[in-house]
Short mmCIF file of all heavy atoms in Angstrom, two decimals:
data_model
loop_
_atom_site.label_atom_id
_atom_site.label_comp_id
_atom_site.label_asym_id
_atom_site.label_seq_id
_atom_site.Cartn_x
_atom_site.Cartn_y
_atom_site.Cartn_z
N HIS F 9 17.68 4.63 16.39
CA HIS F 9 17.23 3.89 15.21
C HIS F 9 16.84 4.81 14.05
O HIS F 9 16.94 4.40 12.89
CB HIS F 9 16.03 3.02 15.58
CG HIS F 9 16.31 2.07 16.71
ND1 HIS F 9 16.97 0.88 16.51
CD2 HIS F 9 16.06 2.17 18.03
CE1 HIS F 9 17.09 0.25 17.67
NE2 HIS F 9 16.55 1.01 18.62
N PHE F 10 16.40 6.03 14.36
CA PHE F 10 15.98 6.98 13.32
C PHE F 10 16.65 8.32 13.59
O PHE F 10 16.59 8.83 14.71
CB PHE F 10 14.46 7.13 13.29
CG PHE F 10 13.75 5.83 13.01
CD1 PHE F 10 13.16 5.11 14.04
CD2 PHE F 10 13.67 5.34 11.72
CE1 PHE F 10 12.52 3.91 13.79
CE2 PHE F 10 13.03 4.14 11.45
CZ PHE F 10 12.45 3.42 12.48
N ARG F 11 17.27 8.87 12.57
CA ARG F 11 18.08 10.07 12.74
C ARG F 11 17.26 11.24 13.28
O ARG F 11 17.72 12.00 14.12
CB ARG F 11 18.71 10.45 11.41
CG ARG F 11 19.69 11.62 11.48
CD ARG F 11 20.22 11.96 10.10
NE ARG F 11 20.72 10.76 9.42
CZ ARG F 11 21.04 10.71 8.13
NH1 ARG F 11 20.89 11.80 7.37
NH2 ARG F 11 21.48 9.59 7.60
N ASP F 12 16.04 11.39 12.78
CA ASP F 12 15.19 12.50 13.20
C ASP F 12 13.73 12.17 12.88
O ASP F 12 13.41 11.06 12.45
CB ASP F 12 15.62 13.80 12.50
CG ASP F 12 15.70 13.67 10.98
OD1 ASP F 12 14.94 12.85 10.42
OD2 ASP F 12 16.53 14.36 10.37
N ARG F 13 12.86 13.14 13.13
CA ARG F 13 11.43 12.96 12.91
C ARG F 13 11.13 12.53 11.49
O ARG F 13 10.32 11.60 11.26
CB ARG F 13 10.70 14.27 13.24
CG ARG F 13 9.21 14.29 12.94
CD ARG F 13 8.66 15.68 13.28
NE ARG F 13 7.23 15.80 13.06
CZ ARG F 13 6.67 16.16 11.92
NH1 ARG F 13 7.45 16.42 10.85
NH2 ARG F 13 5.35 16.27 11.80
N ASP F 14 11.73 13.17 10.52
CA ASP F 14 11.42 12.87 9.12
C ASP F 14 11.85 11.45 8.74
O ASP F 14 11.19 10.79 7.93
CB ASP F 14 12.09 13.89 8.20
CG ASP F 14 11.35 15.23 8.19
OD1 ASP F 14 10.26 15.30 8.78
OD2 ASP F 14 11.87 16.19 7.61
N HIS F 15 12.95 10.98 9.30
CA HIS F 15 13.39 9.62 8.97
C HIS F 15 12.46 8.58 9.60
O HIS F 15 12.23 7.52 9.00
CB HIS F 15 14.84 9.40 9.43
CG HIS F 15 15.84 9.99 8.50
ND1 HIS F 15 16.23 11.32 8.56
CD2 HIS F 15 16.53 9.45 7.45
CE1 HIS F 15 17.12 11.57 7.61
NE2 HIS F 15 17.32 10.45 6.92
N LEU F 16 11.91 8.87 10.77
CA LEU F 16 10.89 7.99 11.34
C LEU F 16 9.64 8.02 10.46
O LEU F 16 9.05 6.97 10.16
CB LEU F 16 10.55 8.42 12.77
CG LEU F 16 9.40 7.67 13.44
CD1 LEU F 16 9.62 6.16 13.44
CD2 LEU F 16 9.19 8.19 14.86
N LEU F 17 9.24 9.20 10.02
CA LEU F 17 8.07 9.30 9.16
C LEU F 17 8.30 8.59 7.82
O LEU F 17 7.37 8.01 7.25
CB LEU F 17 7.73 10.78 8.91
CG LEU F 17 7.10 11.51 10.10
CD1 LEU F 17 6.98 13.00 9.80
CD2 LEU F 17 5.74 10.92 10.44
N ALA F 18 9.53 8.61 7.33
CA ALA F 18 9.83 7.90 6.09
C ALA F 18 9.64 6.40 6.27
O ALA F 18 9.15 5.70 5.38
CB ALA F 18 11.26 8.20 5.63
N ALA F 19 10.01 5.89 7.45
CA ALA F 19 9.80 4.47 7.74
C ALA F 19 8.32 4.16 7.83
O ALA F 19 7.86 3.10 7.37
CB ALA F 19 10.50 4.09 9.04
N VAL F 20 7.54 5.08 8.39
CA VAL F 20 6.09 4.90 8.45
C VAL F 20 5.50 4.90 7.05
O VAL F 20 4.66 4.05 6.70
CB VAL F 20 5.45 6.01 9.31
CG1 VAL F 20 3.93 5.90 9.29
CG2 VAL F 20 5.95 5.92 10.75
N ALA F 21 5.93 5.84 6.22
CA ALA F 21 5.43 5.92 4.85
C ALA F 21 5.80 4.67 4.06
O ALA F 21 5.01 4.17 3.25
CB ALA F 21 5.98 7.17 4.17
N THR F 22 7.01 4.16 4.27
CA THR F 22 7.44 2.94 3.59
C THR F 22 6.54 1.77 3.99
O THR F 22 6.09 0.99 3.13
CB THR F 22 8.90 2.61 3.95
OG1 THR F 22 9.73 3.69 3.52
CG2 THR F 22 9.36 1.33 3.29
N ALA F 23 6.27 1.65 5.28
CA ALA F 23 5.39 0.58 5.76
C ALA F 23 3.99 0.71 5.17
O ALA F 23 3.38 -0.28 4.77
CB ALA F 23 5.34 0.59 7.28
N ALA F 24 3.48 1.94 5.12
CA ALA F 24 2.14 2.16 4.57
C ALA F 24 2.08 1.78 3.10
O ALA F 24 1.13 1.14 2.64
CB ALA F 24 1.73 3.62 4.76
N ALA F 25 3.11 2.18 2.33
CA ALA F 25 3.13 1.85 0.91
C ALA F 25 3.20 0.35 0.68
O ALA F 25 2.52 -0.20 -0.20
CB ALA F 25 4.31 2.55 0.23
N ARG F 26 4.00 -0.33 1.49
CA ARG F 26 4.11 -1.78 1.34
C ARG F 26 2.82 -2.49 1.72
O ARG F 26 2.39 -3.44 1.05
CB ARG F 26 5.27 -2.30 2.20
CG ARG F 26 6.64 -1.94 1.63
CD ARG F 26 7.75 -2.32 2.58
NE ARG F 26 9.06 -2.09 1.96
CZ ARG F 26 10.20 -2.04 2.65
NH1 ARG F 26 10.20 -2.22 3.96
NH2 ARG F 26 11.35 -1.82 2.03
N GLU F 27 2.19 -2.04 2.80
CA GLU F 27 0.92 -2.64 3.22
C GLU F 27 -0.16 -2.40 2.17
O GLU F 27 -0.98 -3.30 1.90
CB GLU F 27 0.49 -2.08 4.57
CG GLU F 27 1.36 -2.55 5.72
CD GLU F 27 0.94 -1.92 7.04
OE1 GLU F 27 -0.18 -1.37 7.11
OE2 GLU F 27 1.74 -1.97 8.00
N LEU F 28 -0.19 -1.20 1.59
CA LEU F 28 -1.17 -0.92 0.55
C LEU F 28 -0.93 -1.80 -0.66
O LEU F 28 -1.88 -2.32 -1.27
CB LEU F 28 -1.13 0.56 0.17
CG LEU F 28 -2.06 0.98 -0.98
CD1 LEU F 28 -3.51 0.61 -0.68
CD2 LEU F 28 -1.93 2.47 -1.24
N THR F 29 0.32 -1.98 -1.04
CA THR F 29 0.65 -2.86 -2.16
C THR F 29 0.12 -4.27 -1.92
O THR F 29 -0.49 -4.89 -2.80
CB THR F 29 2.17 -2.90 -2.39
OG1 THR F 29 2.63 -1.58 -2.70
CG2 THR F 29 2.53 -3.82 -3.55
N GLU F 30 0.33 -4.78 -0.71
CA GLU F 30 -0.15 -6.12 -0.38
C GLU F 30 -1.68 -6.17 -0.42
O GLU F 30 -2.26 -7.16 -0.90
CB GLU F 30 0.35 -6.51 1.01
CG GLU F 30 1.86 -6.73 1.08
CD GLU F 30 2.35 -6.99 2.50
OE1 GLU F 30 1.49 -7.06 3.41
OE2 GLU F 30 3.57 -7.14 2.69
N ALA F 31 -2.33 -5.12 0.08
CA ALA F 31 -3.79 -5.10 0.09
C ALA F 31 -4.36 -5.08 -1.33
O ALA F 31 -5.34 -5.75 -1.63
CB ALA F 31 -4.29 -3.88 0.88
N VAL F 32 -3.73 -4.28 -2.20
CA VAL F 32 -4.20 -4.21 -3.58
C VAL F 32 -3.97 -5.54 -4.29
O VAL F 32 -4.85 -6.03 -5.03
CB VAL F 32 -3.51 -3.06 -4.33
CG1 VAL F 32 -3.81 -3.10 -5.83
CG2 VAL F 32 -3.94 -1.71 -3.75
N ARG F 33 -2.82 -6.15 -4.07
CA ARG F 33 -2.54 -7.45 -4.70
C ARG F 33 -3.56 -8.50 -4.26
O ARG F 33 -4.07 -9.28 -5.07
CB ARG F 33 -1.14 -7.91 -4.35
CG ARG F 33 -0.06 -7.23 -5.17
CD ARG F 33 1.31 -7.78 -4.85
NE ARG F 33 2.34 -7.16 -5.68
CZ ARG F 33 3.54 -6.82 -5.26
NH1 ARG F 33 3.89 -7.06 -4.00
NH2 ARG F 33 4.42 -6.27 -6.07
N ALA F 34 -3.87 -8.53 -2.97
CA ALA F 34 -4.83 -9.50 -2.46
C ALA F 34 -6.21 -9.26 -3.07
O ALA F 34 -6.91 -10.21 -3.46
CB ALA F 34 -4.90 -9.42 -0.93
N ALA F 35 -6.61 -8.00 -3.17
CA ALA F 35 -7.93 -7.68 -3.71
C ALA F 35 -8.03 -8.00 -5.19
O ALA F 35 -9.04 -8.53 -5.65
CB ALA F 35 -8.24 -6.20 -3.47
N THR F 36 -6.98 -7.70 -5.93
CA THR F 36 -7.03 -7.96 -7.38
C THR F 36 -6.94 -9.45 -7.66
O THR F 36 -7.57 -9.95 -8.60
CB THR F 36 -5.91 -7.21 -8.11
OG1 THR F 36 -4.64 -7.53 -7.52
CG2 THR F 36 -6.12 -5.70 -8.03
N ASP F 37 -6.19 -10.19 -6.85
CA ASP F 37 -6.14 -11.64 -7.03
C ASP F 37 -7.51 -12.26 -6.79
O ASP F 37 -7.91 -13.20 -7.49
CB ASP F 37 -5.12 -12.26 -6.07
CG ASP F 37 -3.68 -11.98 -6.47
OD1 ASP F 37 -3.46 -11.53 -7.61
OD2 ASP F 37 -2.78 -12.19 -5.64
N ALA F 38 -8.23 -11.72 -5.81
CA ALA F 38 -9.56 -12.25 -5.50
C ALA F 38 -10.61 -11.84 -6.53
O ALA F 38 -11.67 -12.46 -6.61
CB ALA F 38 -9.99 -11.77 -4.11
N ALA F 39 -10.30 -10.80 -7.31
CA ALA F 39 -11.28 -10.27 -8.27
C ALA F 39 -11.41 -11.12 -9.53
O ALA F 39 -12.34 -10.93 -10.31
CB ALA F 39 -10.93 -8.84 -8.64
N GLY F 40 -10.47 -12.03 -9.76
CA GLY F 40 -10.53 -12.87 -10.95
C GLY F 40 -9.63 -12.37 -12.06
O GLY F 40 -8.70 -11.60 -11.83
N ALA F 41 -9.96 -12.79 -13.29
CA ALA F 41 -9.07 -12.53 -14.42
C ALA F 41 -9.44 -11.32 -15.24
O ALA F 41 -8.62 -10.80 -16.00
CB ALA F 41 -9.03 -13.76 -15.33
N ASP F 42 -10.67 -10.83 -15.13
CA ASP F 42 -11.10 -9.71 -15.97
C ASP F 42 -10.35 -8.44 -15.58
O ASP F 42 -10.38 -8.02 -14.41
CB ASP F 42 -12.61 -9.48 -15.80
CG ASP F 42 -13.09 -8.35 -16.69
OD1 ASP F 42 -13.31 -8.58 -17.89
OD2 ASP F 42 -13.23 -7.22 -16.18
N PRO F 43 -9.67 -7.79 -16.54
CA PRO F 43 -8.85 -6.61 -16.22
C PRO F 43 -9.65 -5.47 -15.61
O PRO F 43 -9.16 -4.78 -14.70
CB PRO F 43 -8.27 -6.21 -17.58
CG PRO F 43 -8.24 -7.47 -18.36
CD PRO F 43 -9.48 -8.22 -17.95
N ALA F 44 -10.88 -5.25 -16.09
CA ALA F 44 -11.69 -4.16 -15.53
C ALA F 44 -12.08 -4.45 -14.09
O ALA F 44 -12.09 -3.55 -13.24
CB ALA F 44 -12.95 -3.96 -16.38
N ASP F 45 -12.39 -5.71 -13.79
CA ASP F 45 -12.72 -6.09 -12.41
C ASP F 45 -11.51 -5.93 -11.50
O ASP F 45 -11.64 -5.48 -10.35
CB ASP F 45 -13.21 -7.53 -12.36
CG ASP F 45 -14.60 -7.71 -12.96
OD1 ASP F 45 -15.32 -6.71 -13.14
OD2 ASP F 45 -14.96 -8.88 -13.26
N ARG F 46 -10.36 -6.29 -11.99
CA ARG F 46 -9.15 -6.17 -11.19
C ARG F 46 -8.81 -4.69 -10.92
O ARG F 46 -8.43 -4.33 -9.81
CB ARG F 46 -7.99 -6.87 -11.90
CG ARG F 46 -8.13 -8.39 -11.91
CD ARG F 46 -7.11 -9.04 -12.84
NE ARG F 46 -5.74 -8.81 -12.41
CZ ARG F 46 -5.12 -9.49 -11.45
NH1 ARG F 46 -5.76 -10.44 -10.80
NH2 ARG F 46 -3.87 -9.22 -11.13
N PHE F 47 -8.96 -3.86 -11.93
CA PHE F 47 -8.70 -2.43 -11.77
C PHE F 47 -9.69 -1.83 -10.77
O PHE F 47 -9.32 -1.03 -9.92
CB PHE F 47 -8.83 -1.74 -13.13
CG PHE F 47 -8.40 -0.30 -13.13
CD1 PHE F 47 -7.06 0.04 -13.09
CD2 PHE F 47 -9.34 0.71 -13.20
CE1 PHE F 47 -6.66 1.38 -13.10
CE2 PHE F 47 -8.95 2.05 -13.21
CZ PHE F 47 -7.61 2.39 -13.15
N ALA F 48 -10.96 -2.25 -10.87
CA ALA F 48 -11.97 -1.75 -9.95
C ALA F 48 -11.68 -2.20 -8.52
O ALA F 48 -11.83 -1.43 -7.57
CB ALA F 48 -13.35 -2.24 -10.38
N ALA F 49 -11.22 -3.44 -8.37
CA ALA F 49 -10.89 -3.95 -7.04
C ALA F 49 -9.73 -3.18 -6.42
O ALA F 49 -9.68 -2.99 -5.20
CB ALA F 49 -10.54 -5.44 -7.12
N ALA F 50 -8.81 -2.72 -7.25
CA ALA F 50 -7.71 -1.91 -6.75
C ALA F 50 -8.22 -0.61 -6.14
O ALA F 50 -7.71 -0.14 -5.12
CB ALA F 50 -6.71 -1.61 -7.87
N GLY F 51 -9.24 -0.03 -6.76
CA GLY F 51 -9.82 1.20 -6.23
C GLY F 51 -10.47 1.01 -4.88
O GLY F 51 -10.26 1.81 -3.96
N SER F 52 -11.25 -0.05 -4.74
CA SER F 52 -11.90 -0.29 -3.45
C SER F 52 -10.88 -0.68 -2.38
O SER F 52 -11.03 -0.31 -1.21
CB SER F 52 -12.98 -1.36 -3.58
OG SER F 52 -12.43 -2.61 -3.93
N ALA F 53 -9.82 -1.41 -2.77
CA ALA F 53 -8.78 -1.78 -1.80
C ALA F 53 -8.07 -0.53 -1.29
O ALA F 53 -7.77 -0.41 -0.09
CB ALA F 53 -7.78 -2.73 -2.45
N TYR F 54 -7.79 0.41 -2.19
CA TYR F 54 -7.16 1.67 -1.79
C TYR F 54 -8.07 2.40 -0.81
O TYR F 54 -7.61 2.89 0.24
CB TYR F 54 -6.91 2.52 -3.03
CG TYR F 54 -6.16 3.81 -2.78
CD1 TYR F 54 -4.85 3.96 -3.22
CD2 TYR F 54 -6.75 4.89 -2.12
CE1 TYR F 54 -4.15 5.15 -3.01
CE2 TYR F 54 -6.07 6.06 -1.90
CZ TYR F 54 -4.78 6.20 -2.34
OH TYR F 54 -4.09 7.37 -2.11
N LEU F 55 -9.35 2.49 -1.12
CA LEU F 55 -10.30 3.18 -0.26
C LEU F 55 -10.33 2.56 1.13
O LEU F 55 -10.23 3.26 2.14
CB LEU F 55 -11.69 3.13 -0.90
CG LEU F 55 -12.88 3.47 -0.01
CD1 LEU F 55 -12.81 4.92 0.45
CD2 LEU F 55 -14.19 3.21 -0.74
N ARG F 56 -10.47 1.24 1.19
CA ARG F 56 -10.55 0.56 2.48
C ARG F 56 -9.27 0.77 3.30
O ARG F 56 -9.33 0.99 4.51
CB ARG F 56 -10.78 -0.94 2.27
CG ARG F 56 -12.11 -1.30 1.66
CD ARG F 56 -12.15 -2.80 1.35
NE ARG F 56 -13.26 -3.16 0.52
CZ ARG F 56 -14.49 -3.41 0.97
NH1 ARG F 56 -14.73 -3.32 2.26
NH2 ARG F 56 -15.46 -3.74 0.14
#
C-alpha cells in the first residue's frame, strides 16, 4: 500500500493536516461571528 517509510509518513501527515483543518473549522464555527474570536479559537484548536 505504501512504497516506503516516507510514503507512509506522508499519508500520516496528510491525515494529521486534514484532522487539524476539521478541528479548526469546528472551533471557529463555535466561536461565533467576531473575526478576532474566530482567529483566537483557531489558536486554541491548534494547541489542543
Side-chain angles (χ1 to χ4, degrees):
H9 303 279
F10 300 102
R11 186 182 309 169
D12 52 30
R13 174 182 181 271
D14 284 352
H15 281 85
L16 174 55
L17 286 173
V20 175
T22 299
R26 287 173 175 164
E27 289 177 16
L28 177 56
T29 299
E30 292 174 3
V32 171
R33 281 184 178 141
T36 54
D37 287 346
D42 182 81
D45 288 343
R46 290 170 63 80
F47 188 75
S52 64
Y54 185 110
L55 165 64
R56 293 173 192 276

